[in-house]
Amino acid sequence: MGARAFAHRDLIAIGALERHEILYLLDEAEQWVALNRQAKKHVDLLSGLTIINAFFENSTRTLLSFEIAGKRLGADVVNMHAATSSVKKGETLIDTAVTLNAMRADAIVIRHASSGAVGLIASKVDCPVLNAGDGSHEHPTQALLDALALRYKLRERGMAADDFTGLVVTICGDILHSRVARSNILSLTALGASVRVCAPPALMPAGIEALGAQPFTDFDAALAGADVVMMLRLQNERMDGQFIPSPREYRHLYGLTAERLALAGEDAIVMHPGPMNRGVEIDSNVADLAGRSIITAQVEMGVALRMACLDVLTRRTRGVPGWADGEWV
Ligand code: NCD
């Protein structure tokens, strides 16, 4: 058979995807955006299928978003929280994976604090695995939903929205520990955008240029002429030691205030994956800025985008014509 529109069994990393595959998932998500805006938001596409959300790390929006996405497509969705699971009793990751596999899930969504853990589990199970965030490695559905939210906003402004060529995106925050930054750099550059990353020197990973981003330590300089400003939280739970002098000093140098936003391009779009620390990396009057902030649209797009991913990744299991045979990449 010819090349599939999406040639992978799993969704582990944006780094593994081709540009056309990213665009395919975004295109597929649009029908779910439309469905989710109706009063009755349910289809039977995945009825009879079981999806396990295995979250070894805390989450509010990502877990809820995946749960709602699976349920709206008609699947049976089960959530496993690490805090109440056998992980706390010392079970190894491999044993947990083998256990999940024996339950014959049709897709497993995993969040884990260790980079690479989701890929490891994927290698031990027979069904599609979706990475809901692994350590500071990747968070592919977040980057895809961010691109989808950006696409809708640009379209609303009457701009060409499928290709981000010429768009300047500044990502500011704890770049070192952020899987959101890494996945977004990869997806935004694949879609044609120029990506600037800004962080205090201690929170800037060495060699970030290799991913295609331009590093800055001066936030004002990073903002000049930016079309999109994406703010990230300080990932204190991943910090071993002190990386910033104080939250007050951090806000002073790297917080997005209304005055600072004025340094970016006219009408620059404001984004944040959440959870936000208002008054630290972003001020409330910026986070809630009508017409400019798309932070709640990001959450809305998350459900639709995850519905698209669950649909596409279970097509082989469901025997959808054109998706049932052959090997996966
Ligand atoms: C992010 C995450 O978990 O990586 N949150 C999310 O999924 N929306 C960002 C964060 O925790 O700061």
Side-chain angles (χ1 to χ4, degrees), residues 61-62 111 139 142 179-180 233 235 237-238 273-275:
R61 75 207 76 219
T62 305
R111 168 169 285 198
H139 191 354
Q142 179 69 45
R179 53 198 177 205
V180 177
R233 183 176 69 86
Q235 310 256 311
E237 71 277 21
R238 290 195 222 298

Side-chain angles (χ1 to χ4, degrees), residues 172-173 198 200 219-220 223 229 231-232 234 247-261 263 277-283 286:
C172 178
C198 179
F219 193 19
D220 293 357
L223 283 171
V229 186
M231 299 305 296
L232 301 173
L234 287 168
R248 210 183 125 119
E249 174 82 355
Y250 182 81
R251 179 186 184 279
H252 178 63
L253 293 172
Y254 297 100
L256 188 63
T257 59
E259 300 75 52
R260 262 222 177 89
L261 182 60
L263 300 174
N277 288 314
R278 289 172 183 263
V280 183
E281 77 271 13
I282 190 164
D283 277 8
V286 175

Side-chain angles (χ1 to χ4, degrees), residues 67-134:
E67 183 175 0
I68 292 171
K71 286 181 171 165
R72 286 194 182 158
L73 292 174
D76 296 320
V77 182
V78 183
N79 296 334
M80 189 208 85
H81 302 274
T84 51
S85 74
S86 291
V87 176
K88 283 272 179 286
K89 300 180 188 168
E91 185 172 76
T92 67
L93 192 57
I94 305 288
D95 283 337
T96 306
V98 169
T99 303
L100 294 176
N101 198 46
M103 291 178 184
R104 295 191 154 270
D106 297 293
I108 305 179
V109 180
I110 304 166
R111 168 169 285 198
H112 200 283
S114 301
S115 306
V118 178
L120 180 66
I121 294 179
S123 70
K124 304 288 173 196
V125 303
D126 301 315
C127 68
V129 169
L130 292 90
N131 181 6
D134 64 327

Side-chain angles (χ1 to χ4, degrees), residues 185-186 189 193-196 207-214:
I185 293 168
L186 294 169
T189 53
S194 299
V195 179
R196 300 173 181 169
I208 191 81
E209 298 91 335
L211 291 183
Q214 194 189 352

